[in-house]
Amino acid sequence: MSTQAPHLSGLTSVHLADSESSATPFGVERPMTCDEASQLLRVHPRTIKRMAARGEIPGHFRFGRWFFYPSELDSWMRMDVNSSSHSCR
């Protein structure tokens, strides 16, 4: 009889994995791939790339690929947004 660990939500799994391995032994933050950033933000990877290309989210285009730092995405998500400029649905 085998026992299985309880299933964690996708966001929790990403958060736990990143918190364990987001910094190198030298204290440098590990950049996330587009797929990892899309899981964190719960947005399609194409949307992440489009938003980064427009400068709407913090991203870095190097070596023909987009990279994202978790701390920059966290800061971006926590920014105060002027609610009068965005319509409510």
Side-chain angles (χ1 to χ4, degrees):
M1 184 169 136
S2 67
T3 60
Q4 295 180 357
H7 182 272
L8 299 173
S9 71
L11 183 62
T12 305
S13 299
V14 171
H15 178 69
L16 291 174
D18 288 341
S19 66
E20 294 171 358
S21 64
S22 64
T24 64
F26 302 105
V28 177
E29 187 176 25
R30 183 185 71 81
M32 299 171 70
T33 64
C34 188
D35 289 333
E36 291 169 329
S38 71
Q39 290 176 352
L40 177 68
L41 298 178
R42 295 183 175 198
V43 182
H44 195 278
R46 286 187 195 142
T47 304
I48 294 289
K49 291 176 186 178
R50 186 176 5 186
M51 291 175 73
R54 292 179 184 161
E56 295 173 4
I57 62 171
H60 307 274
F61 191 76
R62 300 287 185 265
F63 313 112
R65 298 177 64 193
W66 282 101
F67 295 95
F68 304 89
Y69 288 98
S71 61
E72 292 178 348
L73 292 176
D74 183 60
S75 295
W76 172 77
M77 290 182 356
R78 294 173 186 268
M79 280 187 343
D80 289 333
V81 178
N82 183 359
S83 61
S84 64
S85 65
H86 297 282
S87 63
C88 296
R89 293 184 189 199

